[in-house]
């Protein structure tokens, strides 16, 4: 059991307000991802959760118990750092077992638990090595091993995959997801990579400038972003956002539509445009189109669609998939 | 040959030819030559003036080994080594751990603790000899205030060398503290945070994380402390000048007093040769024992 409740958390470093009025509940057993652009305060919020920084005001409760003033140890959390933060002078076994040693667990039991964790993470052959003799992915696993042996109530991850190459990142992403299923523990995961957020999370918290923009499941954020910021941040490629006549016609300040919600045809669509540039990924083709009286937009055509730069095409936004935002940047609910 | 050609291509050969000869010449003139000279002198009875005529073989060394004041000096130097290792370095480490974080207060403390190191040895000795002066110094004022008898610390066999040790620790711990501060500041903060999260108390973080991570600095510092202790000299002269009754000589001040002051340059050279071997053995032994392979010194 571990439910986290943030109540009106503020944090400033000197004059700089980094976290403003964050209130949030993270249910037990969820995989929650904090996502947002660089410098928005994700790491800070995580470090506040861990107790590595003190809040300026507000309360943090774990399982209903106020832990705002408690030391990191007393909170029952484990953290995996972006830099891994492995102790370079200890071998893998000692790195993993360090927390248990600090908890004064007897040596035999400790060795057994370390062996168990190593087994889970396929680290058994590496137990005698020093971190300096491991690859990036192996170090990452040791860092995770160090977190899981202590059986914490909450796992905190700060961009744990950002130092890995793309293939390894995908693999570790799957391993993390499996780990979450197996342990059933509450996990909080920080990333600025929205693909990572979409694939791992069962709940995403989008942060911008130290404030929560929106909380929801990946699909909720995708299908009904509450603000322009979330609309632009979630989804790849980004949602097309226009102001001007199209928006005014719909009675909004900003009109948004995702590239995958526009159908491309030779003629007969609602909008006309000229293809400027074509990106072919094999499974998809992304067309960068200059639409008349609207502006530059990205459109997805499925498969290896046969369009060329300079070609005149016609576009049809699918009804029901547009997003409208008012002057304040907040979504307008359409009936 | 191939490697020579490769060095040439990589531009590594030219620097060797340009920089090595002057260094070798200087090293020979100022290090090798004096040592060989001293080794030669040590086999003569010679006052330092006139011809080297009175060859005595190993007599100087035999005399040295029987001289009780030499034994005392050797013992004193050993005590200085122990004090440097087991008082000075722990003290330096404690202070470093207290003030290594970058704040303005810490910077002020750092300056204060480092200041004695900048002070010239002779000046340090003079200052402390005034402080310990039983008639006019700070000691005198204290004893007078407490209504005690006058206390001549530096003239008392029981306290004199202890006082010298204290002054030396006071003077040099700031230097080691600075080495430790620099090393501690390079310990990544996320390692310390990870240990905090792992449930380590501040003490155990120091013991299990900080100290192991700066072990190279500790070893280096210990090395300087040992070599420095073997070289202690100019602080002793103004404090006790080796007294009372020659009980506070270090090896070097022994050499100075019984070799140069008493015009036994041959004898002094013998002491010098012994000191040289002591230093060489210490340096190489230490490198082998503590520094080990890989870690450069
Ligand atoms: N110790 C500190 N002192 C002063 N300012 C800080 C400190 N730590 C963070 N900040 C500031 O707080 C803001 C948020 O930092 P934070 O590290 O939480 O960002 P982030 O969302 O994790 O970014 P990134 O994706 O780049 O890691 C930044 O503007 C940063 O400059
Ligand atoms: Mg960060």
């Amino acid at each position: 059991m571990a439910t986290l409740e943030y109540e009106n958390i503020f944090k400033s470093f000197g004059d700089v307000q980094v976290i403003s009025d964050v209130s949030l509940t993270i249910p037990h057993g969820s995989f929650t991802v904090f996502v947002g652009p660089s410098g928005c305060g994700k790491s800070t919020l995580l470090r506040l959760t861990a107790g590595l920084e003190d809040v300026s005001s507000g309360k943090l409760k774990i399982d209903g118990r106020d832990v705002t003033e408690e030391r990191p140890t007393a909170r029952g959390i484990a953290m995996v750092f972006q830099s891994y933060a492995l102790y370079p002078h200890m071998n893998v076994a000692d790195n993993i077992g360090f927390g248990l040693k600090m908890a004064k667990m007897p040596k035999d039991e400790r060795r057994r638990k370390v062996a168990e964790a190593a087994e889970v993470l396929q680290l058994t052959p590496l137990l005698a090595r020093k971190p300096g003799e491991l690859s990036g992915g192996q170090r990452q696993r040791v860092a995770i091993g160090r977190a899981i042996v202590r059986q914490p109530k909450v796992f905190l991850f700060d961009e744990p995959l950002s130092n890995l190459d793309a293939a390894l990142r995908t693999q570790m992403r799957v391993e993390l997801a499996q780990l979450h299923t197996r342990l059933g523990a509450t996990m909080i995961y920080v990333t600025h990579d929205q693909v990572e957020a979409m694939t791992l999370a069962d709940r995403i918290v989008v942060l911008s400038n130290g404030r929560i923009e929106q909380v929801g499941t990946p699909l909720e954020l995708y299908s009904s972003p509450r603000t322009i910021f979330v609309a632009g941040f979630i989804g790849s490629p980004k949602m097309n956002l226009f102001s001007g006549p199209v928006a005014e016609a719909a009675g909004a300040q900003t009109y948004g539509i995702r590239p995958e919600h526009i159908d491309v045809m030779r003629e007969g669509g609602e909008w006309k445009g000229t293809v400027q540039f074509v990106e072919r990924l094999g499974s998809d083709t992304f067309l960068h189109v200059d639409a008349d009286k609207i502006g530059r937009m990205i459109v997805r055509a499925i498969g290896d669609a046969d369009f060329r730069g300079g070609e005149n095409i016609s576009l049809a936004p699918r009804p029901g998939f547009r997003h409208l935002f008012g002057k304040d940047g907040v979504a307008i609910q359409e009936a | 040959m191939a490697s020579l050609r490769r060095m040439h291509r990589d531009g590594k050969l030219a620097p060797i030819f340009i920089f090595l000869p002057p260094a070798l010449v200087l090293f020979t003139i100022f290090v090798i030559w004096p040592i060989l000279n001293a080794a030669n002198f040590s086999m003569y009875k010679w006052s330092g003036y006139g011809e080297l005529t009175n060859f005595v073989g190993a007599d100087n060394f035999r005399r040295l080994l029987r001289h009780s004041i030499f034994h005392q000096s050797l013992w004193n130097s050993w005590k200085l080594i122990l004090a440097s290792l087991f008082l000075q370095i722990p003290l330096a480490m404690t202070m470093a751990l207290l003030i290594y974080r970058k704040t303005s207060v810490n910077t002020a403390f750092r300056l204060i603790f480092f200041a004695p190191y900048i002070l010239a040895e002779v000046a340090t000795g003079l200052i402390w000899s005034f402080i310990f002066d039983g008639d006019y110094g700070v000691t005198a004022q204290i004893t007078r205030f407490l209504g005690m008898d006058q206390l001549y610390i530096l003239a008392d066999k029981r306290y004199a060398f202890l006082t010298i040790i204290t002054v030396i620790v006071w003077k040099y711990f700031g230097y080691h503290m600075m080495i430790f501060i620099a090393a501690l500041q390079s310990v990544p903060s996320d390692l310390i945070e990870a240990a905090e999260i792992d449930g380590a108390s501040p003490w155990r973080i120091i013991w299990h994380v900080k100290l192991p991570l700066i072990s190279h600095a500790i070893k280096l510092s210990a090395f300087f402390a040992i070599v420095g202790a073997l070289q202690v000299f100019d602080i002793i002269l103004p404090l006790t000048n080796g007294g009372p009754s020659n009980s506070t000589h270090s090896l070097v001040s022994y050499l100075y007093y019984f070799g140069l002051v008493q015009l036994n340059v041959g004898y002094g050279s013998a002491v010098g040769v012994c000191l040289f071997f002591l230093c060489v053995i210490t340096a190489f032994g230490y490198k082998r024992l503590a520094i080990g392979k890989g870690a450069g010194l």
Side-chain angles (χ1 to χ4, degrees):
Chain A
M1 275 299 288
T3 305
L4 282 85
E5 291 160 86
Y6 299 78
E7 292 176 7
N8 309 98
I9 301 264
F10 286 82
K11 172 69 183 174
S12 41
F13 292 108
D15 297 338
V16 193
Q17 183 94 354
V18 177
I19 298 291
S20 317
D21 198 13
V22 165
S23 294
L24 176 68
T25 303
I26 294 179
H28 168 69
S30 73
F31 198 119
T32 302
V33 173
F34 293 167
V35 69
S38 192
C40 69
K42 308 177 295 286
S43 296
T44 306
L45 192 54
L46 201 71
R47 292 167 58 81
L48 291 171
T49 314
L52 293 173
E53 305 276 359
D54 294 325
V55 299
S56 301
S57 70
K59 259 192 197 149
L60 174 65
K61 292 181 181 168
I62 297 182
D63 285 339
R65 192 167 62 96
D66 187 348
V67 297
T68 319
E69 301 294 326
E70 293 203 340
R71 305 304 319 140
T73 337
R75 300 188 180 194
I77 46 112
M79 183 156 168
V80 175
F81 292 79
Q82 178 174 1
S83 60
Y84 315 138
L86 301 179
Y87 311 118
H89 55 291
M90 300 180 199
N91 65 23
V92 170
D94 291 343
N95 260 286
I96 297 179
F98 186 70
L100 303 179
K101 186 169 166 186
M102 293 302 108
K104 305 207 165 70
M105 180 182 283
K107 211 170 182 175
D108 288 339
E109 199 179 343
R110 203 162 80 210
R111 199 173 296 138
R112 213 190 61 240
K113 295 229 171 192
V114 170
E116 265 172 35
E119 196 59 48
V120 171
L121 295 161
Q122 295 150 32
L123 286 170
T124 312
L126 307 177
L127 281 177
R129 288 207 206 163
K130 295 267 174 72
E133 302 158 350
L134 300 177
S135 74
Q138 291 165 339
R139 281 179 215 180
Q140 183 58 67
R141 276 202 272 270
V142 177
I144 293 172
R146 190 168 64 180
I148 62 176
V149 274
R150 290 175 43 224
Q151 296 175 317
K153 293 189 276 186
V154 185
F155 285 88
L156 308 177
F157 296 94
D158 192 356
E159 308 207 23
L161 306 185
S162 59
N163 289 337
L164 305 179
D165 66 44
L168 199 52
R169 201 166 357 182
T170 314
Q171 182 196 335
M172 289 302 295
R173 210 156 68 199
V174 175
E175 287 183 22
L176 274 179
Q178 287 171 343
L179 193 71
H180 177 240
T181 319
R182 179 162 56 228
L183 299 177
T186 310
M187 294 190 174
I188 305 178
Y189 186 102
V190 162
T191 178
H192 60 256
D193 178 350
Q194 56 96 12
V195 177
E196 224 164 86
M198 295 295 280
T199 50
L200 277 173
D202 43 47
R203 292 172 81 249
I204 296 181
V205 178
V206 183
L207 291 167
S208 154
N209 284 324
R211 294 177 184 282
I212 294 183
E213 286 280 328
Q214 189 172 359
V215 182
T217 65
L219 282 182
E220 273 166 20
L221 297 192
Y222 176 82
S223 55
S224 40
R226 208 179 59 81
T227 61
I228 292 189
F229 179 84
V230 178
F233 196 80
I234 301 287
S236 170
K238 282 173 58 149
M239 181 187 288
N240 298 301
L241 293 163
F242 313 110
S243 46
V246 228
E248 279 160 29
Q253 175 71 21
T254 309
Y255 176 105
I257 180 119
R258 296 193 183 278
E260 53 271 40
H261 296 151
I262 305 174
D263 290 320
V264 194
M265 45 199 73
R266 299 280 168 200
E267 48 197 35
E270 194 178 325
W271 301 334
K272 304 259 173 289
T274 315
V275 178
Q276 297 295 329
F277 178 68
V278 183
E279 285 177 301
R280 295 183 193 284
L281 301 183
S283 59
D284 297 306
T285 302
F286 292 112
L287 308 176
H288 295 241
V289 180
D290 268 348
D292 300 343
K293 302 195 199 86
I294 300 174
R296 175 67 66 96
M297 63 175 77
I298 300 179
V299 181
R300 187 181 77 173
I302 299 212
D304 186 14
D306 181 27
F307 291 102
R308 256 166 255 299
E311 207 170 323
N312 287 322
I313 53 168
S314 183
L315 301 168
R318 289 190 201 153
F321 281 99
R322 65 180 190 179
H323 301 270
L324 301 178
F325 301 95
K327 275 202 172 55
D328 51 1
V330 175
I332 299 169
Q333 297 299 325
E334 289 185 88
Chain B
M1 264 339 276
S3 71
L4 261 187
R5 218 172 301 132
R6 182 187 177 127
M7 281 173 80
H8 179 60
R9 203 182 51 229
D10 295 350
K12 284 179 186 156
L13 216 49
I16 291 179
F17 279 120
I18 295 171
F19 292 113
L20 198 57
L24 270 182
V25 168
L26 289 176
F27 188 69
T28 312
I29 294 179
F30 291 108
V31 181
I32 307 278
W33 175 242
I35 288 172
L36 292 178
N37 242 338
N40 185 30
F41 294 158
S42 72
M43 284 177 285
Y44 290 85
K45 184 168 169 52
W46 184 50
S47 69
Y49 302 100
E51 297 289 307
L52 281 174
T53 45
N54 197 351
F55 184 80
V56 293
D59 262 11
N60 282 331
F61 291 94
R62 246 173 260 137
R63 224 179 98 199
L64 185 63
L65 291 181
R66 282 200 304 268
H67 196 192
S68 67
I69 298 176
F70 179 68
H71 299 163
Q72 181 66 43
S73 317
L74 205 59
W75 175 231
N76 283 346
S77 282
W78 178 240
K79 280 196 276 192
L80 280 175
I81 291 178
L82 292 183
S84 300
L85 288 180
F86 299 109
L87 287 177
Q88 181 161 278
I89 288 187
L91 176 67
M93 183 60 75
T94 310
M95 300 319 285
L97 284 167
L98 287 174
I99 62 172
Y100 80 88
R101 288 193 184 79
K102 288 177 184 143
T103 69
S104 46
V105 178
N106 285 353
T107 309
F109 274 116
R110 250 174 253 169
L111 268 178
I112 293 171
F113 292 139
F114 191 61
Y117 177 72
I118 304 169
L119 210 59
E121 274 84 355
V122 173
T124 312
L126 284 174
I127 291 170
W128 283 96
S129 69
F130 292 139
I131 290 175
F132 290 130
D133 192 298
D135 291 323
Y136 308 105
V138 178
T139 317
Q141 292 181 9
I142 293 173
T143 49
R144 214 172 298 137
F145 179 77
L146 295 176
M148 289 165 39
D149 285 343
Q150 278 163 323
L151 188 61
Y152 300 93
I153 294 177
L154 289 171
D156 190 319
K157 254 186 155 174
R158 285 169 302 176
Y159 307 127
F161 199 68
L162 223 57
T163 313
I164 289 177
I165 289 180
T166 312
V167 172
I168 286 175
V169 168
W170 171 83
K171 181 162 169 39
Y172 293 104
F173 88 91
Y175 173 74
H176 298 282
M177 183 190 77
M178 282 307 206
I179 295 183
F180 296 152
I181 285 177
L184 283 168
Q185 284 177 346
S186 72
V187 172
S189 59
D190 53 1
L191 284 186
I192 292 164
E193 290 174 348
E196 237 175 277
I197 288 182
D198 268 341
S201 63
W203 278 113
R204 303 185 96 190
I205 291 179
I206 290 175
W207 185 251
H208 291 289
V209 181
K210 290 182 186 169
L211 291 188
L213 284 177
I214 64 165
S215 62
H216 60 286
I218 300 175
K219 287 173 186 168
L220 193 69
S221 205
F223 179 73
F224 287 147
I226 294 171
V227 172
L230 283 174
Q231 292 174 340
V232 165
F233 164 59
D234 31 11
I235 211 165
I236 289 183
L237 294 192
L239 278 173
T240 65
N241 201 11
S245 49
N246 288 319
S247 65
T248 59
H249 277 300
S250 68
L251 281 176
V252 184
S253 76
Y254 175 85
L255 184 159
Y256 173 75
Y257 196 74
F258 289 91
L260 299 180
V261 175
Q262 300 194 348
L263 292 180
N264 285 321
V265 174
Y267 185 68
S269 299
V271 182
V273 169
C274 288
L275 192 59
F276 171 73
F277 280 110
L278 218 61
C279 283
V280 169
I281 293 168
T282 313
F284 281 92
Y286 187 83
K287 184 161 160 45
R288 174 144 293 175
L289 271 179
I291 316 277
K293 42 200 164 348
L297 184 76

